[in-house]
Amino acid sequence: MPRSLFSLRIRNLPLPVPSATLGTIRLMNRNNKHRRTADSRVKSNPRLLKLQQLVNTNNSGGWEESWNQGVTPWDLGRPTPVILHLHHTGSLSMGRVLVPGCGTGYDVVAMACPGRYVVGLDISKEAIKKAKQMSSSLPNADYFTFLKADFFSWHPTGFFDLIFDYTFFCAIEPDMRSAWAQQIQKFLKPDGELITLMFPMDDQAGGPPYKVSTADYEEVLHPMGFKAISIVDNKLAIEVRKGREKLGRWKRALGHSSL
């Protein structure tokens, strides 16, 4: 065989790809698929797109306007199933409880009972108005209250035994998450508990809601002295959020002082 023809055949042979490289390629393809799925989920939800338009074009009043227009895609219209489960199984702390970004307040009402007083906090005047209208005549109305206030500048009159965060951490811009953790530490009793329902755990771009991960919470909570007691998949997530939520329970290490 002529040498030039042999060289041509050698050059055209497929080169072996290292297994490590194949693994990286598969991971990249899988991540790209998840990202496309997450992005398509956002694009197919006109209410979510409208929310993002309102909030991102009006930093000061976007959330208020979303409530005025009824653009509240995060609102389930009922208590969060896992909160009901924790309440009915006696798995929630008693004492004072805070729900930042409480919205219509279904979770506030669901947790409120003798021995557990729940404060629902929201920056939106309209949200607090709706929460009060919905709940004022309920039999457990003596065990909860709703306040219009900015979580980041609010000064409560006392500390809390439990803070529950769901669709609040993901609603604030990522560069505010450290400030969120500082407020959590300031508001919570030294032996208090933080419960985070982490959502959305996917690769969607933009926000709100902004994508979250366990590492995002750890990055801001660990410096405040918090460690996870448990982080598990939320088996009780509503259908459209299944596989995209984790339930985290956090406690502060003893001896770690407040700010």
Side-chain angles (χ1 to χ4, degrees), residues 134-150:
M134 179 272 296
S135 62
S136 61
S137 60
L138 294 177
N140 63 339
D142 289 339
Y143 305 112
F144 62 80
T145 191
F146 292 103
L147 300 175
K148 179 195 176 298
D150 184 341

Side-chain angles (χ1 to χ4, degrees), residues 64-84:
E64 189 68 58
E65 190 59 31
S66 72
W67 278 101
N68 289 334
Q69 295 188 26
V71 183
T72 55
W74 64 86
D75 192 337
L76 302 184
R78 56 190 172 93
T80 306
V82 71
I83 281 296
L84 285 177

Side-chain angles (χ1 to χ4, degrees), residues 176-217:
M176 295 186 67
R177 290 173 176 175
S178 291
W180 168 88
Q182 291 172 13
Q183 293 297 87
I184 293 291
Q185 188 206 43
K186 286 166 61 176
F187 294 164
L188 202 59
K189 290 181 179 179
D191 59 346
E193 181 182 11
L194 167 67
I195 296 180
T196 56
L197 198 48
M198 309 176 193
F199 168 85
M201 303 195 80
D202 55 27
D203 290 325
Q204 73 177 42
Y210 297 95
K211 66 179 182 179
V212 304
S213 66
T214 299
D216 291 331
Y217 287 85

Side-chain angles (χ1 to χ4, degrees), residues 8 24 37 49 52 57 73 81 95 97 111 117 125 129 132 146 154 162-163 188-189 203 252 257:
L8 180 62
T24 301
T37 301
L49 289 173
Q52 294 178 351
T57 57
V97 179
M111 288 188 281
Y117 189 82
K125 178 181 178 180
K129 176 183 174 183
K132 290 181 176 180
F146 292 103
W154 181 53
L162 173 66
I163 298 178
L188 202 59
K189 290 181 179 179
D203 290 325
R252 190 163 32 179
S257 61

Side-chain angles (χ1 to χ4, degrees), residues 166-184:
Y166 183 33
T167 66
F168 183 64
F169 184 87
C170 68
I172 61 176
E173 295 185 6
D175 62 4
M176 295 186 67
R177 290 173 176 175
S178 291
W180 168 88
Q182 291 172 13
Q183 293 297 87
I184 293 291

Side-chain angles (χ1 to χ4, degrees), residues 16-243:
V17 180
S19 58
T21 303
L22 286 173
T24 301
I25 292 173
R26 292 191 187 102
L27 179 61
M28 290 174 62
N29 289 337
R30 186 159 57 247
N31 288 342
N32 287 336
K33 180 181 179 181
H34 290 166
R35 187 174 297 108
R36 287 194 299 270
T37 301
D39 290 344
S40 65
R41 190 183 295 116
V42 172
K43 292 176 181 177
S44 64
N45 188 335
R47 296 180 74 228
L48 190 54
L49 289 173
K50 180 63 175 178
L51 168 68
Q52 294 178 351
Q53 179 186 22
L54 289 171
V55 173
N56 293 330
T57 57
N58 187 348
N59 291 333
S60 60
W63 290 107
E64 189 68 58
E65 190 59 31
S66 72
W67 278 101
N68 289 334
Q69 295 188 26
V71 183
T72 55
W74 64 86
D75 192 337
L76 302 184
R78 56 190 172 93
T80 306
V82 71
I83 281 296
L84 285 177
H85 172 73
L86 294 174
H87 173 60
H88 292 318
T89 57
S91 303
L92 290 176
S93 300
M94 302 303 280
R96 282 169 50 85
V97 179
L98 174 65
V99 181
C102 66
T104 317
Y106 295 103
D107 291 331
V108 171
V109 172
M111 288 188 281
C113 64
R116 185 186 300 125
Y117 189 82
V118 188
V119 177
L121 195 73
D122 206 286
I123 196 172
S124 167
K125 178 181 178 180
E126 184 65 20
I128 293 300
K129 176 183 174 183
K130 289 180 181 295
K132 290 181 176 180
Q133 289 174 343
M134 179 272 296
S135 62
S136 61
S137 60
L138 294 177
N140 63 339
D142 289 339
Y143 305 112
F144 62 80
T145 191
F146 292 103
L147 300 175
K148 179 195 176 298
D150 184 341
F151 173 80
F152 295 97
S153 59
W154 181 53
H155 298 284
T157 56
F159 297 110
F160 293 92
D161 299 276
L162 173 66
I163 298 178
F164 173 58
D165 184 297
Y166 183 33
T167 66
F168 183 64
F169 184 87
C170 68
I172 61 176
E173 295 185 6
D175 62 4
M176 295 186 67
R177 290 173 176 175
S178 291
W180 168 88
Q182 291 172 13
Q183 293 297 87
I184 293 291
Q185 188 206 43
K186 286 166 61 176
F187 294 164
L188 202 59
K189 290 181 179 179
D191 59 346
E193 181 182 11
L194 167 67
I195 296 180
T196 56
L197 198 48
M198 309 176 193
F199 168 85
M201 303 195 80
D202 55 27
D203 290 325
Q204 73 177 42
Y210 297 95
K211 66 179 182 179
V212 304
S213 66
T214 299
D216 291 331
Y217 287 85
E218 291 174 338
E219 181 180 355
V220 295
L221 286 173
H222 283 181
M224 297 295 106
F226 288 93
K227 301 295 181 184
I229 303 170
S230 67
I231 297 178
V232 297
D233 290 335
N234 180 19
K235 302 295 186 182
L236 297 177
I238 64 172
E239 191 61 35
V240 295
R241 297 180 185 177
K242 284 189 181 297

